[in-house]
């Protein structure tokens, strides 16, 4: 059994359990009773860790898509806050903050600086959010999820590039700018099922 996966699963569970003691979830701790508006970044200026270069924001759709309330968009800025930003994965949760899916998006969706799959995958270990705001536990939970599903996220990033390479363009619009293609790969996930698989 992979000790790193066990530690990541334990940390994700620990964060959820501590938040639950106070009647909180990773989602409530992020929104902090702010009025929920579609497409708005929560928190307003994103969360950036100057040591790791990790960055994220939460973003929701109204009405929610199926059971999903919204998602955390996870990035890394390897050269610091003023350097290029690279999107890694989006982490979808329901209205109770429960993990629902992992997915990648086309470049136009987040407007990041493009990196092909392998250099993007190499940045996954850099996503390490150790910041107090808006919630230290939400930051650690999100880091743990990316660690726990690192292999699956790497596969999704590779599938993203395959989908883009295969995407037909009828009017000369580059695939990465084609607004008919938003989600490029996705995987439904369940944290408790993963925990059980690890024997925890």
């Amino acid at each position: 059994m992979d000790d790193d996966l066990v530690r990541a699963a334990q940390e994700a569970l620990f964060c959820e359990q501590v938040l639950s003691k106070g009647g909180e979830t990773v989602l409530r701790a992020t929104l902090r009773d702010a009025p929920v508006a579609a497409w708005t970044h929560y928190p307003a200026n994103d969360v950036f860790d100057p040591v790791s270069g990790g960055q994220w924001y939460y973003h929701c759709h109204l009405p929610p898509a199926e059971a999903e309330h919204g998602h955390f968009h996870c990035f890394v800025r390897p050269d610091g806050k003023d350097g290029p930003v690279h999107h890694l994965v989006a982490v979808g949760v329901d209205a109770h903050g429960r993990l629902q899916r992992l997915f990648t998006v086309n470049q136009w969706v987040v407007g990041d600086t493009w990196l092909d799959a392998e250099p993007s995958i190499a940045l996954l270990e850099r996503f390490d959010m150790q910041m107090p705001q808006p919630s230290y536990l939400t930051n650690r939970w999100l880091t743990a999820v990316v660690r726990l599903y690192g292999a699956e996220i790497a596969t999704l990033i590779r599938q993203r590039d395959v989908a883009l390479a295969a995407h037909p363009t009828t009017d000369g619009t580059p695939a990465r700018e084609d607004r008919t293609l938003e989600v490029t790969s996705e995987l439904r996930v369940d944290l408790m099922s993963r925990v059980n698989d690890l024997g925890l």
Side-chain angles (χ1 to χ4, degrees):
M1 185 178 298
D2 189 318
D3 290 344
D4 290 339
L5 293 182
V6 170
R7 281 192 293 270
Q10 289 172 332
E11 178 147 353
L13 278 181
F14 173 78
C15 293
E16 289 188 355
Q17 289 164 356
V18 173
L19 285 164
S20 180
K21 286 182 182 180
E24 297 287 340
T25 68
V26 294
L27 182 54
R28 281 180 51 84
T30 299
L31 298 177
R32 296 203 172 272
D33 298 320
V36 178
W39 313 112
T40 300
H41 286 207
Y42 298 93
N45 297 313
D46 299 4
V47 180
F48 176 72
D49 186 316
V51 174
S52 70
Q55 180 174 324
W56 66 265
Y57 66 83
Y58 185 78
H59 158 102
C60 62
H61 299 169
L62 293 176
E66 299 179 5
E68 184 172 300
H69 180 276
H71 33 268
F72 297 87
H73 280 291
C74 302
F75 305 82
V76 168
R77 289 183 179 269
D79 299 323
K81 193 170 182 66
D82 297 323
V85 59
H86 307 294
H87 187 265
L88 301 178
V89 69
V91 178
V93 296
D94 67 13
H96 304 284
R98 291 184 295 249
L99 186 61
Q100 298 289 300
R101 66 170 175 152
L102 305 169
F103 62 100
T104 64
V105 295
N106 204 350
Q107 186 181 17
W108 69 263
V109 176
V110 289
D112 64 333
T113 303
W114 180 259
L115 268 187
D116 289 337
E118 296 311 316
S120 296
I121 291 165
L123 292 177
L124 284 171
E125 64 183 23
R126 292 280 302 269
F127 187 80
D128 185 10
M129 303 302 301
Q130 300 201 39
M131 296 297 290
Q133 301 299 330
S135 160
Y136 180 71
L137 289 169
T138 294
N139 280 311
R140 296 313 300 156
W141 178 85
L142 199 52
T143 299
V145 167
V146 172
R147 293 279 185 280
L148 181 60
Y149 291 97
E152 290 86 349
I153 294 170
T155 297
L156 288 172
I157 294 172
R158 293 186 181 106
Q159 290 173 348
R160 175 202 69 181
D161 284 19
V162 170
L164 286 167
H167 185 67
T169 55
T170 56
D171 61 357
T173 301
R176 297 203 306 260
E177 298 174 15
D178 188 344
R179 291 179 178 257
T180 67
L181 178 61
E182 181 174 354
V183 174
T184 48
S185 61
E186 70 176 318
L187 176 69
R188 295 285 169 179
V189 288
D190 182 280
L191 180 58
M192 290 312 301
S193 292
R194 175 55 65 92
V195 166
N196 292 334
D197 289 344
L198 292 169
L200 300 179

